[in-house]
Amino acid sequence: MEVPARLAAVAERLAASLGPHAVLTDPAELRTYECDGLARYAVSPGLVVLPESTEQVAETVRACRDAGLPFVARGSGTGLSGGALPRSDGVLIVTSRMRRILEVDLDAECAIVEPGVINLAISREVSPAHYHYAPDPSSQQICSIGGNVAENSGGAHCLKYGFTAHHVTGLEIVTPDGDVVWLGAGKCRQSTGYDLLGVFIGSEGTLGIATKVVVRLVQTQQCVETILAAFPDMASAGEAVSAIIAAGITPAAIEMMDALSIEAAEQAVDCRYPDGAGAVLIVELDGPTDDVAAELAAVTARCEQSGAFELRRAADEYERGEIWKGRKSAFAAVGRISPDYIVQDGVIPRTALPEVLADIAALSERTGIRVANVFHAGDGNLHPLVLYDESVPGQGDAAEEVSGAILDLCIGHGGSITGEHGVGVDKAKHLPKMFTADDLDTMQLVRCAFDPAQRCNPGKVFPTPRLCGEVPRRGTAPHPAQAAGLAEAF
């Protein structure tokens, strides 16, 4: 049976079992889901299904299995690497209707939520009891927990509190065959055996679909201090970051913005950062009151010694929000100064910050492609914003080249091609620069253990569709599909 006929059969089966409101087939409605936050890649899905429960997700996956169709899971669609890019020959399973917080257990300091729950909704639910959910991506007002699990999301405060992997203790998942299983310890903090939970988190939807998530809740600290420090240039701001960390201080967050990203934020949200700043640092400290007071004095001194010409301390929650407003809006704000842009995501050792930022500036000057920098300075997680105009012939390709060259800089300094946005389709071609063929073979064996038929989010992460059943070593005879030109080894 041809793909369109199989899609039609699956649509009919799921409309009968889930209800017609859960199945979208209209081409205009399908286009709503043609891309995630990385709009440069767009594919209209063959079919969209909106389940409301684990059972409905499992039924959808079984329907795909029976029809031999690929499927892709999607949460809020805020991903920035094309990880939720649909398949025109497959089914897009959207979890946005699974938004229930199923249980809050403050005694166990955890909550059980569905994958479509918005990140910030958890903290709002438990804040009256002085708890919160720590991972806080910039998109936390709209991104979903299921997507956070897929990408192992972090955020401004992951410097002190860690990533999603450090705050999820259990997952209910639907396997690529449609079975429902649990991974991890659930409400406990530890389990025995292989760390399958750790394997699943950050697997970018290639191993199954999370349908329930057990998250840790963190008690709100007694005291929080936030300061904004303005510097004449990026080098002096970077020097302050190194001095703060070298002093043995671990702030909850250290965020840096350069002049171009400040300009964008000013136009978008009127954040009123100090005039003439070539760079700003936002430093947040939390903990017992006496400890925070001592750290605040030390951080202030390091900033002044590094050349800060203005320091602002938030006096209350309103002023804290005003300081964070510019940083939180930075990605979207860049749209005010450029019609198109690429949000890049790479990691370098913190000590390499001055050299890498200088290299990025030189790259920008040489190519004529502007690059705005806003990033998590404390852990070296860069988010260069590569600006271009798609309507100018060749500029989109030039921006892609600059974006790739920045990742090469990260790898060259012992870093990574992604810190929290994932590989998706955007960076798959860069993966062999970071890992050997043997490394990739080993990863592929893990993927095949979960999904031997490769129906679950195929075409993501790995640069080519390596094949289960293929002996994962170089120098062996080609797989029949490779010989037929349907796939290639790398």
Side-chain angles (χ1 to χ4, degrees), residues 134-136 152-164 166-167 250-255 376 379 381 419-420:
D136 60 341
N152 190 22
S153 300
H157 293 81
C158 66
L159 171 63
K160 182 173 183 177
Y161 291 100
F163 289 74
T164 298
H166 303 110
H167 295 272
T250 303
I254 307 183
E255 300 290 294
H376 311 306
D379 52 13
N381 187 184
E420 54 183 348

Side-chain angles (χ1 to χ4, degrees), residues 10-30:
V10 168
E12 183 177 358
R13 170 176 168 176
L14 295 177
S17 56
L18 277 61
H21 64 285
V23 181
L24 305 182
T25 57
D26 181 83
E29 292 182 310
L30 294 179

Side-chain angles (χ1 to χ4, degrees), residues 259-301:
L260 199 53
S261 59
I262 294 169
E263 175 190 340
E266 293 289 355
Q267 291 189 29
V269 298
D270 189 26
C271 53
R272 301 183 184 182
Y273 288 169
D275 292 336
V280 296
L281 280 184
I282 297 173
V283 184
E284 192 153 281
L285 305 160
D286 65 7
T289 301
D290 290 345
D291 291 350
V292 171
E295 290 179 346
L296 179 63
V299 167
T300 299

Side-chain angles (χ1 to χ4, degrees), residues 43 92-93 130-131 139 173 177 191 211 218 257 285 303 326 371-372 378 382 387 396 410 470 480:
V43 175
L92 187 68
I93 302 174
H130 306 291
Y131 279 88
S139 58
I173 70 164
D177 271 335
S191 64
T211 48
V218 178
M257 298 171 64
L285 305 160
C303 288
V371 179
L382 306 178
L387 315 184
C410 293
E470 171 187 4

Side-chain angles (χ1 to χ4, degrees), residues 12-13 22 31 53-54 64 102 106 137 160 180 232 263 274 282 317 328 350-351 373 382 388 423 444 486:
E12 183 177 358
R13 170 176 168 176
R31 285 202 62 189
S53 67
T54 297
C64 293
L102 301 170
L106 294 179
K160 182 173 183 177
V180 179
E263 175 190 340
I282 297 173
E317 283 299 320
K328 292 282 187 180
R350 187 179 55 249
T351 51
N373 289 289
L382 306 178
Y388 67 101
V423 176
Q444 194 64 23
L486 300 175

